[in-house]
């Protein structure tokens, strides 16, 4: 618990530090902004009303939930005395904060209570002002615009990957091995795009090299989201696809079968994460 | 066309494959058809299809290492000479 004077910069730094240290996917931008504003609002109310000499704040993240605990040693105040709406300075007001948190699936803060003087919240049943616990379900920003967009893109590319695996299978059954190898590669590429999106890795565009590098480097090596044996699947599938599309020599049945099985395995494993 | 590092990495890729699959031959290095920044190491593939599959597995591992360590996309492709194989 950090105690003492908390400036806006320090609040931001605490949240940034939490983000850097966390192995969880990053919060959606607007979730992060709201969290910052709510905490800032709490601190503002302490400064204005609590006559506190010390403020403590603890931020933790576990199990898809973010918890922010703000404590002070002040006198407490009536909840009705708090600003309810937006402030001239651009604050969102405690009422708005509660409503916005509720929209994101957060629990409403408990009511503040008027105390009779400086007290340590842990010692007292009637806790002092603003021992507010904000529980904000992060879920990788699923309730926000950014989260919904990522979810849609992930689902779209997963569906395309599945479609291309089926296409590769049909083509193989008809003896069209070059075309099958082509679809097998694209099935894997689209599955990788979906996986990257679901894991919060934004792609400006679908660049084959970047997709391969980000998937292998981030998702199999650094974060270990997927088994390490998948790290070179895309490269392997692409090399055979290049032969199929750009060389006069045809892909053999055995090689095409191998590629089809690789693509199916790859798509299946990546789909299992959604 | 390619810088010294790309040439060096291409040769390294071929040399590593040659060490385990002595039957292969290097035909040359060319730009990728869709991305000229990509390097294609043109190889006369093993005649035996099981050997070819095995070699491709190794090649993709090495190519992935190169991509992650150096940022260059260097991969193998069948040499374009009437379907010749080693």
């Amino acid at each position: 618990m950090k105690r003492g004077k908390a400036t806006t910069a320090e609040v931001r730094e605490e949240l940034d530090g939490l983000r850097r240290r966390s192995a969880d996917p990053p919060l959606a931008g607007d979730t992060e902004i709201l969290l910052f504003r709510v905490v800032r609002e709490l601190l503002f109310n302490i400064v204005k009303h609590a006559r506190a000499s010390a403020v403590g704040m603890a931020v933790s993240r576990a199990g898809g939930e973010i918890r922010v605990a703000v404590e002070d040693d002040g006198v407490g105040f009536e909840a009705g005395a708090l600003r309810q709406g937006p402030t001239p300075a651009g604050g969102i007001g405690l009422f708005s904060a509660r409503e916005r948190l509720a929209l994101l699936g957060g629990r409403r803060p408990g009511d503040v209570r008027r105390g009779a003087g400086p007290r340590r919240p842990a010692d007292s049943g009637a806790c002092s002002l603003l021992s507010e616990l904000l529980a904000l379900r992060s879920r990788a920003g699923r309730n926000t615009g950014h989260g919904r967009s990522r979810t849609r893109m992930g689902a779209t590319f997963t569906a395309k990957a599945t479609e291309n695996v089926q296409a590769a299978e049909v083509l193989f059954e008809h003896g069209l091995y070059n075309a099958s190898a082509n679809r097998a590669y694209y099935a894997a590429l689209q599955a990788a795009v979906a996986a990257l999106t679901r894991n919060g890795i934004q792609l400006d565009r679908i660049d084959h090299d970047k997709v391969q590098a980000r998937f292998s480097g981030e998702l199999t090596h650094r974060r270990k989201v997927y088994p390490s044996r998948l790290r070179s699947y895309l490269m392997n599938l692409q090399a055979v696809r290049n032969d199929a599309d750009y060389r006069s020599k045809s892909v053999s049945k055995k090689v095409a079968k191998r590629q089809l099985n690789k693509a199916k395995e790859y798509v299946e494993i990546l789909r299992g994460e959604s | 066309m390619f810088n010294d590092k790309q040439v060096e990495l291409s040769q390294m890729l071929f040399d590593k494959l040659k060490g385990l699959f002595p039957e292969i031959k290097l035909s040359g290095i060319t730009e990728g058809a869709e991305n000229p920044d990509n390097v294609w190491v043109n190889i006369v593939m093993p005649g035996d299809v099981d050997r070819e599959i095995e070699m491709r597995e190794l090649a993709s591992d090495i190519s992935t290492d190169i991509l992650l360590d150096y940022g260059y996309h260097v991969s193998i492709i069948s040499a374009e000479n009437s379907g010749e194989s080693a």
Side-chain angles (χ1 to χ4, degrees), chain A residues 7 10 16 20 42 64-65 70 78 80 84 94 102 108 125 153 175 192 197 207 210 217 246 268:
Chain A
T7 64
E10 284 171 338
D16 283 350
R20 281 194 299 273
L42 295 176
E65 195 169 87
V70 180
E78 293 299 333
Q84 297 298 309
L94 196 59
R108 291 163 180 257
M153 187 169 171
T197 303
D207 177 292
K210 281 202 176 87
Y246 296 109
E268 205 52 53

Side-chain angles (χ1 to χ4, degrees), chain A residues 186 207-209 212-214 216-217 221 231-233 235-236 238-243 245-249 252 254-255 258-259 262, chain B residues 30 33-35 38 40 42 45 49-50 52-53 56-57 60-61 63-65 67-68 73-80 82-83 85:
Chain A
Y186 277 99
D207 177 292
H208 295 229
D209 297 358
Q212 289 177 24
R214 296 307 297 270
S216 300
H221 177 66
R231 70 186 287 273
S232 59
Y233 270 38
M235 188 71 77
N236 180 285
Q238 187 188 37
V240 173
R241 174 254 165 175
N242 288 342
D243 263 38
D245 288 353
Y246 296 109
R247 286 297 181 259
S248 41
K249 178 186 172 189
S252 69
K254 201 163 189 175
V255 170
R258 174 94 172 166
Q259 301 310 98
K262 270 179 120 73
Chain B
T30 53
E34 293 167 5
N35 185 347
N38 289 170
W40 281 359
N42 291 254
M45 298 288 178
V49 71
D50 290 324
E52 179 188 344
I53 290 171
R56 286 186 180 279
E57 293 288 330
S60 61
D61 284 340
S63 294
T64 301
D65 288 341
L67 180 62
L68 295 180
H73 196 287
V74 180
S75 60
I76 62 167
I77 192 163
S78 293
E80 185 69 297
S82 324
S85 56

Side-chain angles (χ1 to χ4, degrees), chain A:
Chain A
M1 171 80 75
K2 190 171 181 175
R3 294 199 164 267
K5 257 188 180 175
T7 64
T8 299
E10 284 171 338
V11 169
R12 170 59 75 191
E13 187 187 354
E14 186 76 12
L15 292 174
D16 283 350
L18 175 67
R19 182 178 57 213
R20 281 194 299 273
R21 291 190 296 272
S22 175
D24 291 340
L27 297 178
D30 44 2
T31 301
E32 192 172 281
I33 290 169
L34 176 62
L35 187 62
F36 171 74
R37 285 180 175 170
V38 168
V39 170
R40 185 176 64 181
E41 186 68 22
L42 295 176
L43 295 174
F44 182 89
N45 281 314
I46 291 172
V47 169
K48 283 287 278 187
H49 303 288
R51 283 183 271 155
S53 62
V55 175
M57 185 178 79
V59 182
S60 63
R61 185 175 181 179
E65 195 169 87
I66 297 172
R67 288 177 174 265
V68 179
V70 180
E71 294 179 24
D72 68 277
D73 62 355
V75 300
F77 54 84
E78 293 299 333
L82 300 176
R83 294 170 306 169
Q84 297 298 309
T87 69
I92 60 174
L94 196 59
F95 179 79
S96 293
R98 289 175 176 171
E99 293 307 311
R100 291 190 196 193
L101 284 173
L103 281 175
L104 289 178
R107 277 186 271 131
R108 291 163 180 257
D111 288 336
V112 302
R113 302 183 194 184
R114 177 166 286 281
R119 68 193 65 231
R120 287 189 295 276
D123 295 341
S124 169
C127 58
S128 75
L129 168 72
L130 245 43
S131 289
E132 302 244 6
L133 190 68
L134 309 174
L136 184 67
R137 298 206 67 82
S138 65
R139 292 282 186 106
R142 194 163 286 177
N143 290 318
T144 69
H146 291 293
R148 281 196 295 273
S149 172
R150 273 208 299 269
T151 303
R152 256 201 315 274
M153 187 169 171
T156 299
F157 276 87
T158 298
K160 285 176 186 259
T162 303
E163 182 183 310
N164 271 315
V165 162
Q166 290 167 352
E169 235 165 347
V170 170
L171 290 163
F172 180 84
E173 284 160 12
H174 285 78
L176 306 172
Y177 305 130
N178 295 309
S180 177
N182 176 288
R183 291 298 95 196
Y185 168 64
Y186 277 99
L189 179 74
Q190 286 159 346
V193 170
L196 287 166
T197 303
R198 280 196 307 273
N199 283 278
I201 296 174
Q202 293 291 94
L203 300 166
D204 299 330
R205 58 192 180 92
I206 302 195
D207 177 292
H208 295 229
D209 297 358
K210 281 202 176 87
V211 171
Q212 289 177 24
R214 296 307 297 270
F215 181 85
S216 300
E218 280 291 320
L219 300 188
T220 65
H221 177 66
R222 201 174 79 80
R223 299 191 203 179
K224 296 178 173 35
V225 178
Y226 300 107
S228 59
R229 73 175 186 279
L230 298 187
R231 70 186 287 273
S232 59
Y233 270 38
L234 277 175
M235 188 71 77
N236 180 285
L237 288 160
Q238 187 188 37
V240 173
R241 174 254 165 175
N242 288 342
D243 263 38
D245 288 353
Y246 296 109
R247 286 297 181 259
S248 41
K249 178 186 172 189
S250 280
V251 172
S252 69
K253 180 179 180 181
K254 201 163 189 175
V255 170
K257 181 68 177 171
R258 174 94 172 166
Q259 301 310 98
L260 174 60
N261 289 340
K262 270 179 120 73
K264 283 164 78 171
E265 181 195 3
Y266 190 85
V267 170
E268 205 52 53
I269 290 173
L270 269 57
R271 197 167 52 202
E273 290 297 320
S274 60

